[in-house]
């Protein structure tokens, strides 16, 4: 589905990422964790072609249009309402305007935003804007979903609900996911595999972890599994090492 | 409402002071005198050709200025060498008080309508140039990335990102542009003309007629205020997506 090989990229002389290789298989849920500034967002941007890598390859087993990209910030078109923002993507993909607006409404309701569809972005909270952006991406039914910290700035209840809904949708549709997150528990409870990036600049892939929990999976129930605690401890220790060693 | 009341209060105090004989009617004529002069101007019919002259100069200047400024701004934003050519000129024109060009324009275009249109055109087009130029260049790059990753091409970008961004810049300058168009027309007439409100103003000055001066000033203020409210309505309708404070 997606294969990244020996990828080196950066904005100046010193590369941000160096020699990164990772893979997302069809239907696989992969998480990417790492210290702030290590180049996680840059990697996602390179995958959809917004940044040109210095060396290395990105092999996409699908069309660009089949990739859904949820950005880390929640910039929506300020002159369009929530509903129009969501419908825009659908219209670009050839859905007639009226149907697009109806479908957009349905997605907003699904993400807990009913009654807010006629608001402009400035009238929404950060978490609400984030969900509008998520609706915009999900409505296009991507086959590969790239998400950059989608659940930051949501309250615990909403976050649990949303991850549960998202996971069952992803499992049902067989969507592949590459998720960037700073929440180790979230990464563990959702993914099949986790990649850990080292501290930048010149960040490399430090380790990859196979997550053994079966699918379909309940992201809350899985936390009771004894292996969950063990893996979490391991991840935590490695991340700490990465962050501290960079600082030394 | 409040503003209306305070204006009324000011007029009453003014009228009262004049009644008490505290104001020299030669310098500061009472409001009712000014109103009388205004009414006479209208009823005698002498005002119409002057109004027509000023209005045509201002409207032509406004429309042409919007057009020329808009096109130049767009060109500069899209074609780098046009920007290099135009930006210094525009910055210079923006920095100096542009009305100093009035005498020169009279020499070039004569004392007729053309020199007034030219002055208001220059005033308006410099304003519009910068509105459009910055509107295009200061488009939020994140929005462009969003549209791209949603699969949108150039046409979608133009319609959904560039156009609204430029419109919001232009709309916020439109009121100022109307004011500028009238300034250009009136100042142009003031310098040299045979018709127009500016010409009447200079006539009032040379005949030491303060009542006529004040009558003309209030007339111009009334017109510009009327246009201002009109454009403010338009702005409020079209810019509903902006937070109140930043409008
Ligand atoms: N457009 C840019 N120009 C120059 N440098 C950039 C640019 N974008 C990011 N960087 C730099 O690249 C590095 C990686 O940034 P990136 O946004 O990919 O980090 P991140 O891992 O997503 O961090 P976070 O977890 O804080 O979001 C940072 O040091 C950042 O300063
Ligand atoms: Mg990031």
């Amino acid at each position: 589905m997606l294969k990244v090989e020996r990828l080196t990229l950066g904005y100046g002389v010193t590369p941000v990422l160096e020699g990164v290789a990772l893979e997302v298989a069809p239907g696989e849920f992969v998480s990417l964790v790492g210290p702030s500034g290590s180049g996680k967002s840059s990697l996602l941007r390179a995958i959809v072609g917004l940044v040109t890598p210095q060396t290395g390859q990105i092999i996409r087993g699908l069309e660009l249009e089949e990739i859904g990209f949820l950005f880390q910030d929640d910039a929506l078109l300020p002159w369009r309402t929530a509903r129009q923002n969501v419908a825009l993507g659908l219209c670009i993909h050839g859905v007639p305007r009226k149907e697009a607006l109806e479908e957009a409404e349905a997605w907003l309701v699904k993400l807990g935003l009913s009654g807010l569809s006629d608001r402009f972005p400035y009238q929404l909270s950060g978490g609400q804007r984030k969900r509008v952006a998520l609706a915009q991406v999900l409505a296009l039914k991507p086959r590969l979903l790239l998400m950059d910290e989608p659940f930051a700035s949501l309250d615990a209840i909403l976050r649990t609900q949303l991850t549960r809904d998202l996971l069952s949708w992803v499992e049902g549709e067989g969507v592949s996911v590459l998720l960037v997150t700073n929440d180790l528990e979230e990464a563990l409870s959702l993914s099949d595999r986790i990649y850990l990036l080292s501290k930048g600049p010149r960040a490399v892939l430090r380790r990859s972890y196979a997550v053994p929990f079966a699918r379909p999976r309940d992201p809350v129930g899985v936390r009771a599994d004894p292996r969950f605690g063990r893996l979490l401890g391991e991840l935590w220790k490695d991340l700490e090492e990465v962050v501290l060693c960079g600082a030394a | 409402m409040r503003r209306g009341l305070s204006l009324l209060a000011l007029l009453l105090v003014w009228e009262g002071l004049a009644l008490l004989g505290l104001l020299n009617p030669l310098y500061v004529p009472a409001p009712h005198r000014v109103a009388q002069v205004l009414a006479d101007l209208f009823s005698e019919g002498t005002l119409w050709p002057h109004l027509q002259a000023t209005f045509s100069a201002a409207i032509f200047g406004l429309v042409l200025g919007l057009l020329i400024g808009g096109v130049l701004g767009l060109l500069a934003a899209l074609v780098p060498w046009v920007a290099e050519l135009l930006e210094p000129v525009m910055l210079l024109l923006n920095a100096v008080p542009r009305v100093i060009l009035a005498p020169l324009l009279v020499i070039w275009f004569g004392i007729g309508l053309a020199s007034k249109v030219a002055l208001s055109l220059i005033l308006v087009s410099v304003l519009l140039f910068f509105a459009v130029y910055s509107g295009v260049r200061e488009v939020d790059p994140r929005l462009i990335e969003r549209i791209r990753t949603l699969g949108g091409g150039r046409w979608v970008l133009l319609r959904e990102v560039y156009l609204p961004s430029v419109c919001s810049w232009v709309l916020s300058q439109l009121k100022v542009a109307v004011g500028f168009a009238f300034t250009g027309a009136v100042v142009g007439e003031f310098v040299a003309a045979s018709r127009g409100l500016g010409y009447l103003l200079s006539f009032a000055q040379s005949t030491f007629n303060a009542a006529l001066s004040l009558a003309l000033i209030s007339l111009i203020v009334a017109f510009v205020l009327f246009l201002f409210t009109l454009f403010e309505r338009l702005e409020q309708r079209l810019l509903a997506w902006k937070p109140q404070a930043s409008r």
Side-chain angles (χ1 to χ4, degrees):
Chain A
M1 177 104 328
L2 176 75
K3 200 167 180 184
V4 173
E5 286 175 348
R6 301 185 316 278
L7 184 81
T8 298
L9 64 87
Y11 303 92
V13 191
T14 329
V16 170
L17 289 171
E18 198 164 55
V20 169
L22 61 79
E23 198 175 342
V24 183
E28 196 181 23
F29 198 126
V30 175
S31 289
L32 185 63
V33 298
S36 181
S38 55
K40 306 182 292 293
S41 300
S42 305
L43 179 57
L44 291 197
R45 296 159 64 83
I47 291 172
V48 292
L50 291 172
V51 185
T52 322
Q54 289 162 348
T55 59
Q57 286 195 53
I58 295 162
I59 301 157
R60 290 183 291 255
L62 74 179
E63 298 294 317
L64 258 183
E65 287 85 74
E66 296 174 302
I67 303 180
F69 190 176
L70 185 69
F71 286 83
Q72 185 168 13
D73 57 55
D74 47 49
L76 300 161
L77 292 179
W79 35 79
R80 295 267 180 243
T81 62
R83 192 203 327 245
Q84 290 168 336
N85 262 292
V86 177
L88 177 63
L90 291 162
C91 286
I92 290 175
H93 283 239
V95 180
R97 211 181 132 65
K98 195 160 162 286
E99 280 167 46
L101 285 169
E102 280 164 16
E103 211 171 313
E105 178 70 30
W107 274 104
L108 288 171
V109 171
K110 218 181 275 187
L111 292 178
L113 295 169
S114 49
L116 301 179
S117 8
D118 288 320
R119 296 227 186 149
F120 289 107
Y122 84 92
Q123 295 165 316
L124 298 169
S125 77
Q128 289 165 345
R129 278 199 294 271
K130 198 105 200 195
R131 276 179 282 158
V132 174
L134 185 60
Q136 195 178 42
V137 171
L138 294 184
L140 299 181
K141 302 238 163 57
R143 284 178 54 217
L144 171 63
L145 190 53
L146 310 176
M147 295 190 287
D148 203 340
E149 296 183 28
F151 308 118
S153 77
L154 296 182
D155 65 69
I157 305 287
L158 194 60
R159 177 189 278 242
T160 317
Q161 272 174 8
L162 216 57
T163 44
R164 187 180 272 158
D165 289 352
L166 187 76
L167 194 64
S168 71
W169 183 77
V170 161
E171 284 168 348
E173 306 266 320
V175 178
S176 321
V177 181
L178 180 55
L179 170 78
V180 168
T181 177
N182 278 318
D183 185 336
L184 297 181
E185 293 187 39
E186 185 176 284
L188 260 183
S189 60
L190 295 175
S191 11
D192 303 306
R193 196 137 42 112
I194 300 174
Y195 287 105
L196 174 66
L197 273 178
S198 71
K199 199 177 166 100
R202 296 179 181 280
V204 296
L205 269 189
R206 179 52 61 94
R207 244 190 105 173
S208 101
Y209 310 79
V211 182
F213 313 122
R215 298 219 177 261
R217 184 193 293 178
D218 171 17
V220 179
V222 78
R223 293 174 195 225
D225 194 306
R227 290 171 297 177
F228 190 91
R230 217 167 42 238
L231 266 169
L232 186 63
E234 204 177 323
L235 258 171
W236 182 268
K237 201 176 93 272
D238 290 345
L239 181 62
E240 203 171 25
E241 205 169 84
V242 158
V243 171
L244 293 181
C245 115
Chain B
M1 194 64 211
R2 250 233 198 80
R3 273 185 277 176
L5 281 178
S6 63
L7 186 67
L8 193 70
L10 179 76
L11 286 176
L12 281 177
V13 171
W14 183 353
E15 186 72 53
L17 288 175
L19 262 177
L20 293 173
L22 291 172
L23 297 173
N24 183 342
L26 195 58
Y27 295 108
V28 192
H32 80 266
R33 276 284 306 138
V34 176
Q36 183 69 50
V37 172
L38 206 55
D40 288 347
L41 277 175
F42 274 106
S43 62
E44 285 166 14
T46 45
L47 192 63
W48 300 115
H50 298 293
L51 270 183
Q52 197 209 351
T54 304
F55 260 78
S56 5
I59 300 289
F60 275 128
L62 182 65
V63 172
L64 287 177
L66 291 178
L67 233 78
I68 292 173
V71 169
L72 289 182
L74 204 61
L75 274 179
L78 299 178
V79 188
W81 65 262
V82 176
E84 270 172 48
L85 205 72
L86 281 179
E87 212 183 353
V89 181
M90 289 295 179
L91 278 175
L92 197 72
L93 274 177
N94 200 28
V96 299
R98 275 154 279 167
V99 291
I100 59 169
L101 295 173
L104 189 63
L105 291 172
V106 170
I107 296 175
W108 286 351
F109 299 114
I111 66 164
L113 189 65
S115 58
K116 286 82 199 167
V117 173
L119 187 61
S120 47
L121 181 158
I122 290 175
L123 289 180
V124 172
S125 61
V126 172
L127 190 75
L128 242 281
F129 172 84
F130 283 107
V132 172
Y133 187 49
S134 8
V136 173
R137 287 180 29 133
E138 282 173 33
V139 158
D140 188 345
R142 296 176 309 171
L143 297 181
I144 298 175
E145 287 183 345
R146 296 306 181 278
I147 301 291
R148 285 242 177 89
T149 55
L150 288 175
R154 293 168 77 95
W155 170 237
V156 180
L157 272 179
L158 192 71
R159 199 191 54 208
E160 297 292 333
V161 182
Y162 285 101
L163 210 63
S165 169
V166 169
C167 276
S168 89
W169 279 77
V170 169
L171 270 176
S172 64
Q173 299 290 335
L174 215 51
K175 277 190 297 187
V176 188
V178 172
F180 274 17
F182 274 89
T183 310
V186 173
V187 170
E189 290 162 354
F190 199 84
V191 171
S194 52
R195 285 200 298 158
L197 296 176
Y199 162 76
L200 279 184
L201 268 174
S202 92
F203 171 78
Q205 181 205 337
S206 59
T207 54
F208 226 73
N209 192 340
L212 181 58
S213 245
L214 280 168
L216 290 168
I217 290 171
S218 38
L219 193 63
I220 294 170
V221 167
F223 275 130
V224 172
L225 275 185
F226 170 71
L227 288 173
F228 258 46
T229 21
L230 215 67
F231 280 103
E232 208 157 59
R233 288 269 164 79
L234 185 75
E235 213 178 297
Q236 263 162 15
R237 281 192 61 124
L238 292 178
L239 297 185
W241 54 269
K242 273 196 185 180
Q244 288 289 346
S246 74
R247 258 185 222 159

